Amino acid sequence: MASLMQGRLPINQDLLMMQKGMLLRKVRSRSWKKQRYFRLQDDGMTVWHARQAGGTAKPTFSISDVERVREGHESELLRSLAEEFPLEQGFTIVFHGRRSNLDLVANSVEEAKIWMQGLQHLVDFVTGMDQQERLDQYHDWFQRGDRNQDGRMSFHEVQRLLHLMNVEMDQEYAFQLFQTADTSESGTLEGEEFVQFYKALTKRTEVHEVFENFSADGQKLTLLEFVDFLREEQKEGERASDLALELIDRYEPSDSGKLRHVLSMDGFLSYLCSKDGDIFNPTCLPIYQDMTQPLNHYYINSSHNTYLVGDQLCGQSSVEGYIRALKRGCRCVEVDIWDGPSGEPIVYHGHTLTSRIPFKDVVATVAQYAFQTSDYPVILSLENHCSWEQQQVIANHLTEILGEQLLSTTLDGLLPTQLPSPEELRRKILVKGKKLRTLEEDLEEEEEEEELESELEGGQEADSELEAQLESEPQELSPRSKDKKKEKRSKPILCPSLSALVVYLKSVSFHSFAHSKEHYRFYETSSFSESKARSLIKEAGNEFVQHNAWQLSRVYPSGLRTDSSNYNPQELWNAGCQMVAMNVQTAGLEMDIYDGLFRQNGGCGYVLKPDFLRDAQSSFHPERPISPFKAQTLLIQVISGQQLPKEDTSKERSIVDPLVRVEIFGVRPDTARQETSYVENNGFNPYWGQTLSFRVLVPELALLRFVVKDYNWKSRNDFIGQYTVPWTCMQQGYRHIHLLSKDGISLHPASIFVNISIREGLEGDES
């Protein structure tokens, strides 16, 4: 146990028991439940499993992959097996990204607690590691390279380690570094010797050059020199002086340097690798936008067929789909409801083989997870296929389970003139669906009922008189009361109690923009298939922009996307469409763009649209953008890469040939891509030093996607990692771009180092 994280992790009894290993039952479905021997490895960071104790083991997961550990009763699969296995003996390991959960059942409550507490202890430890510990990888690499685990590393082991680190180095140069570090002349590297070898290996020559350009003595940056760098290169402007002091205090490792207000090379590199040196502007990370504008003025993070965790035909329906969507910031989730057995509505993709889940379980899940990531309102987009009777059950479940969270009338009981804001709707859940009447009629009836109650409370005598009048003269009832009696005699297709829960988001059919303007109200919303929305943008782009300035639109993927693939959301955002619904369970380019936009503003699920998309008289046409937009030229110098991972880690000897592609998504004339040449056999510290140039007409709508690929002349280049950033959140100057996997998980420490320069107006290519 002493080797566990080099002794930095406090030892406890749970971890010791986990390292001994234990039989647990792995549960994949109601029919697949098999005993496996699970064991925490000596490094304390990986769990392996085998069919039996002493059997051939294989890695199951790394602690850094784990988001959290849930108790058995929180798993719908384990709940379905409660008669077979006590829920107290079960637990679920939830992973980051789209990886499926791992459901396990221990042989006793005590053993379940050991694993739950032990795993959570490790997860908390990894999460709490500060940045310096994360960057301090010497020991991790040493453990991987020291094949015979004797605490020393021979040159042969160093050569193998270089392959593991994804770098091909001249053997003579590698041996020279090895000998320089081997100060004891023992022919092996130990402890501090390996640290020096690693530092020599990871030396950033290109960063040294930048440092020396501003440092008079090449040893340090004085306060004034650092201010010059921040002002001239990083484009920090007026705040450069104050910022320089902050950054020195934050990143300079030596106390004497902090006292003298100077920045060493180590401090400079630490700054460039930090969130302050990131391409994504840290001021855009918290909620920084005006959240008091009407809902229709925001892009809203929206999910399509949220209940699916697989494809549209045979995939699994699960409340896990809602948990994942809500935790990743989705604010509009879809619920496809059908009549179920025993009078209980069910959720699934109708007329397919997808599995079914009880509607009440979905509502309970939404109630629990709606506001864990964001306080701003959640929209339940109901696709209601139920009978009148089960619609009543739907209304009851929504009212009883959601309670105060459910918005069931206007905020102040008065008729609004525009949609409320995300700020006004904090921690509220709104129902989007069909409605029997207008909001005006609902409020009028509420007013009548209040007046009637007031009259009835006026005294016993008035009470009796009114009762007699109601009994003897039913013909004198108001027209609305007559309508209600009619409703009771012949049931409408839509249940009134469910209709009443739809307040600000009444679903209506779209006919034309002119028809909507003449007949619809601001609280009525239409849905469009991706193909219909695209054709409207081409035929009447400006009208679509104006429509979305006063009314909400939802766009959903084509029904032909049975594999749950996605469409590019950008062209719908260009027209101001707010709820562009995605199959969030499917990773790829489209979700990279989507996540890139919603990464800003605290990841709260709402992003304010540009002002020209919030103006009902806007002249903007997404297909033909013209002045008064301030066109800009973007110059990106792609300098170097750091510790790029292999796509296929099973091939120990394969080394990547990386190239960088920069893609811009925005209005059609701005959409472009360029790439560097590839660097042969170096994923560890490749150097490109190439400049790419782009011209952009509407920067307010542009997103940049940086993709690193492994060059392969036989096939399409293999994906290594990517990062997508909105133009408006991009920092200029020397910046690191920290890469994400296909699933959006950090590939730390993989990054690329770039220099970003934005110039007003359109210029000729300067690449």
Side-chain angles (χ1 to χ4, degrees):
M1 187 71 181
S3 65
L4 197 147
M5 290 295 292
Q6 296 299 314
R8 287 176 288 173
L9 178 63
I11 297 171
N12 69 33
Q13 196 61 35
D14 292 333
L15 300 185
L16 289 171
M17 293 296 291
M18 289 164 65
Q19 285 195 317
K20 286 181 180 177
M22 209 175 286
L23 271 178
L24 301 171
R25 194 175 297 274
K26 184 177 177 181
V27 183
R28 283 187 182 164
S29 67
R30 297 192 65 171
S31 58
W32 199 101
K33 312 174 283 278
K34 298 189 178 178
Q35 290 265 22
R36 293 289 185 263
Y37 185 77
F38 284 82
R39 181 179 176 275
L40 176 67
Q41 297 300 291
D42 291 342
D43 64 2
M45 287 292 109
T46 49
V47 173
W48 289 45
H49 80 272
R51 288 179 180 245
Q52 58 197 26
T56 304
K58 57 183 179 181
T60 308
F61 60 86
S62 166
I63 297 301
S64 59
D65 296 330
V66 179
E67 181 186 320
R68 61 170 293 205
V69 184
R70 289 194 204 137
E71 295 180 358
H73 66 84
E74 295 182 74
S75 162
E76 57 189 313
L77 176 55
L78 295 181
R79 282 202 306 270
S80 72
L81 295 166
E83 291 183 9
E84 193 174 345
F85 307 114
L87 286 175
E88 296 78 17
Q89 291 175 212
F91 58 97
T92 303
I93 298 170
V94 181
F95 298 101
H96 293 291
R98 295 173 176 83
R99 181 173 172 179
S100 298
N101 295 348
L102 176 60
D103 286 304
L104 297 169
V105 178
N107 291 318
S108 68
V109 175
E110 291 71 27
E111 289 186 355
K113 282 182 178 175
I114 286 170
W115 279 88
M116 288 172 64
Q117 291 168 180
L119 285 171
Q120 196 59 56
H121 180 63
L122 291 171
V123 170
D124 293 343
F125 174 75
V126 169
T127 305
M129 287 170 68
D130 64 24
Q131 184 191 33
Q132 196 56 44
E133 282 185 285
R134 286 180 180 273
L135 291 174
D136 179 16
Q137 299 165 62
Y138 316 134
H139 299 298
D140 297 337
W141 282 119
F142 190 90
Q143 289 292 322
R144 292 177 69 181
D146 185 14
R147 198 164 194 172
N148 61 6
Q149 297 294 299
D150 64 354
R152 303 172 180 181
M153 199 176 295
S154 66
F155 183 63
H156 178 71
E157 286 176 317
V158 164
Q159 287 177 299
R160 176 178 171 271
L161 177 64
L162 293 177
H163 279 287
L164 289 174
M165 295 171 96
N166 203 10
V167 59
E168 184 169 279
M169 184 179 285
D170 176 76
Q171 188 167 328
E172 196 174 311
Y173 178 60
F175 188 61
Q176 184 183 332
L177 290 180
F178 180 88
Q179 284 187 310
T180 304
D182 181 19
T183 52
S184 64
E185 299 182 357
S186 63
T188 59
L189 301 181
E190 302 172 47
E192 186 59 30
E193 291 177 335
F194 178 76
V195 171
Q196 294 308 314
F197 173 76
Y198 185 89
K199 282 185 174 178
L201 194 65
T202 56
K203 184 179 177 183
R204 297 283 302 277
T205 306
E206 76 281 20
V207 175
H208 269 277
E209 288 176 7
V210 177
F211 182 81
E212 287 170 355
N213 283 343
F214 284 84
S215 168
D217 64 2
Q219 300 298 311
K220 65 183 180 302
L221 288 175
T222 64
L223 180 60
L224 289 179
E225 287 170 343
F226 191 38
V227 168
D228 285 346
F229 171 77
L230 292 175
R231 190 174 286 134
E232 293 171 27
E233 292 294 341
Q234 308 300 77
K235 305 292 188 267
E236 296 291 0
E238 298 280 319
R239 71 189 201 117
S241 297
D242 292 337
L243 184 62
L245 284 168
E246 277 180 43
L247 295 176
I248 289 172
D249 192 53
R250 197 174 296 158
Y251 300 112
E252 173 52 41
S254 76
D255 291 336
S256 62
K258 287 177 183 177
L259 282 171
R260 292 182 295 137
H261 295 158
V262 299
L263 194 64
S264 65
M265 176 59 208
D266 284 345
F268 184 65
L269 179 57
S270 184
Y271 152 65
L272 287 177
C273 292
S274 73
K275 66 176 176 24
D276 291 299
D278 195 277
I279 190 169
F280 200 102
N281 192 330
T283 62
C284 296
L285 288 173
I287 293 169
Y288 71 100
Q289 294 181 331
D290 176 6
M291 301 304 288
T292 64
Q293 301 206 24
L295 275 185
N296 52 294
H297 285 184
Y298 298 83
Y299 296 121
I300 303 172
N301 192 330
S302 304
S303 161
H304 175 63
N305 288 354
T306 314
Y307 46 87
L308 289 180
V309 290
D311 66 49
Q312 313 278 314
L313 296 178
C314 306
Q316 182 191 357
S317 300
S318 169
V319 294
E320 197 62 42
Y322 291 92
I323 295 172
R324 291 180 184 181
L326 291 167
K327 290 191 78 171
R328 75 199 317 275
C330 279
R331 297 292 85 190
C332 176
V333 295
E334 186 178 17
V335 192
D336 219 341
I337 323 168
W338 300 77
D339 279 356
S342 308
E344 280 292 341
I346 53 174
V347 174
Y348 79 109
H349 198 33
H351 311 298
T352 67
L353 298 175
T354 57
S355 56
R356 283 102 162 116
I357 43 176
F359 173 71
K360 63 182 178 184
D361 287 1
V362 170
V363 181
T365 300
V366 170
Q368 182 180 353
Y369 288 93
F371 305 111
Q372 285 194 5
T373 297
S374 166
D375 270 356
Y376 290 111
V378 166
I379 297 167
L380 289 182
S381 182
L382 301 188
E383 290 295 323
N384 173 15
H385 308 279
C386 291
S387 62
W388 200 92
E389 288 75 17
Q390 293 211 11
Q391 288 179 41
Q392 277 194 308
V393 178
I394 291 171
N396 290 340
H397 285 330
L398 288 170
T399 306
E400 291 169 12
I401 297 172
L402 297 180
E404 290 296 311
Q405 290 180 322
L406 180 66
L407 187 90
S408 54
T409 185
T410 56
L411 288 171
D412 52 9
L414 302 174
L415 184 67
T417 55
Q418 62 179 21
L419 288 173
S421 69
E423 187 61 39
E424 291 173 305
L425 293 168
R426 266 179 178 267
R427 299 190 74 82
K428 286 295 180 186
I429 296 172
L430 286 68
V431 175
K432 172 185 164 295
K434 291 186 170 60
K435 190 172 178 65
L436 287 170
R437 301 177 307 199
T438 64
L439 186 55
E440 290 85 342
E441 288 170 329
D442 271 3
L443 290 170
E444 192 181 324
E445 182 177 271
E446 283 176 23
E447 197 175 319
E448 285 179 8
E449 287 174 354
E450 284 175 13
E451 286 175 7
L452 188 61
E453 281 177 20
S454 176
E455 288 174 18
L456 289 171
E457 288 168 1
Q460 186 69 40
E461 191 178 323
D463 202 32
S464 305
E465 203 175 294
L466 186 57
E467 279 179 25
Q469 184 184 349
L470 289 172
E471 286 174 14
S472 61
E473 302 177 36
Q475 70 275 14
E476 295 301 322
L477 291 173
S478 71
R480 184 149 336 283
S481 298
K482 288 179 184 176
D483 288 346
K484 285 198 85 176
K485 284 195 169 245
K486 257 185 220 170
E487 281 177 11
K488 285 181 182 176
R489 283 197 297 272
S490 58
K491 290 179 181 174
I493 294 172
L494 184 61
C495 167
S497 59
L498 181 55
S499 168
L501 297 181
V502 176
V503 182
Y504 293 115
L505 300 166
K506 177 183 176 183
S507 297
V508 293
S509 299
F510 177 80
H511 302 285
S512 70
F513 293 123
H515 177 273
S516 295
K517 196 174 285 188
E518 187 177 346
H519 298 283
Y520 290 156
R521 297 163 175 82
F522 64 87
Y523 58 81
E524 292 173 315
T525 174
S526 299
S527 291
F528 306 85
S529 69
E530 57 174 289
S531 53
K532 176 66 175 174
R534 280 201 193 100
S535 66
L536 286 171
I537 291 170
K538 287 181 174 62
E539 295 162 14
N542 177 244
E543 287 182 83
F544 210 168
V545 166
Q546 293 183 354
H547 173 87
N548 288 325
W550 70 278
Q551 201 178 52
L552 280 165
S553 291
R554 180 177 181 272
V555 183
Y556 56 89
S558 163
L560 298 174
R561 295 184 181 274
T562 55
D563 59 350
S564 292
S565 60
N566 279 307
Y567 54 104
N568 189 333
Q570 184 68 52
E571 57 186 311
L572 292 316
W573 290 334
N574 292 344
C577 296
Q578 299 90 346
M579 295 182 284
V580 181
M582 305 288 279
N583 290 308
V584 297
Q585 73 270 33
T586 307
L589 161 70
E590 297 81 9
M591 280 308 300
D592 291 344
I593 297 169
Y594 209 79
D595 291 341
L597 178 76
F598 287 106
R599 185 168 287 118
Q600 64 184 304
N601 209 31
C604 75
Y606 288 84
V607 170
L608 190 64
K609 298 195 290 185
D611 54 4
F612 55 85
L613 293 180
R614 309 195 304 262
D615 178 3
Q617 273 72 52
S618 175
S619 60
F620 179 73
H621 193 302
E623 295 288 293
R624 297 185 291 278
I626 52 172
S627 296
F629 300 105
K630 293 180 180 177
Q632 295 180 336
T633 296
L634 170 68
L635 298 175
I636 301 174
Q637 184 190 13
V638 181
I639 303 170
S640 62
Q642 294 76 43
Q643 302 192 48
L644 306 176
K646 302 174 189 176
E647 173 67 12
D648 186 356
T649 53
S650 64
K651 297 177 182 175
E652 186 178 300
R653 299 199 66 78
S654 66
I655 293 175
V656 300
D657 303 323
L659 61 86
V660 177
R661 176 184 294 166
V662 179
E663 302 167 337
I664 295 191
F665 299 93
V667 294
R668 197 175 299 279
D670 290 347
T671 303
R673 72 181 192 186
Q674 294 180 42
E675 62 185 41
T676 66
S677 55
Y678 69 91
V679 174
E680 197 169 354
N681 285 337
N682 189 352
F684 187 72
N685 56 359
Y687 181 84
W688 294 282
Q690 293 175 254
T691 300
L692 311 177
S693 175
F694 298 90
R695 303 171 176 187
V696 178
L697 292 170
V698 190
E700 296 92 332
L701 288 174
L703 283 99
L704 278 82
R705 182 173 182 253
F706 295 82
V707 198
V708 181
K709 299 224 165 194
D710 181 7
Y711 173 76
N712 187 337
W713 65 271
K714 294 178 185 175
S715 61
R716 292 175 64 188
N717 299 332
D718 296 323
F719 175 92
I720 293 176
Q722 69 84 32
Y723 192 81
T724 304
V725 58
W727 181 289
T728 51
C729 299
M730 181 170 59
Q731 297 201 99
Q732 294 190 68
Y734 287 98
R735 303 291 172 185
H736 278 91
I737 299 169
H738 299 278
L739 299 176
L740 305 175
S741 70
K742 283 179 182 173
D743 265 348
I745 308 293
S746 169
L747 290 174
H748 180 85
S751 64
I752 53 175
F753 186 47
V754 299
N755 183 271
I756 304 284
S757 176
I758 298 172
R759 299 175 185 174
E760 295 296 328
L762 298 178
E763 302 178 7
D765 288 350
E766 299 190 15
S767 53

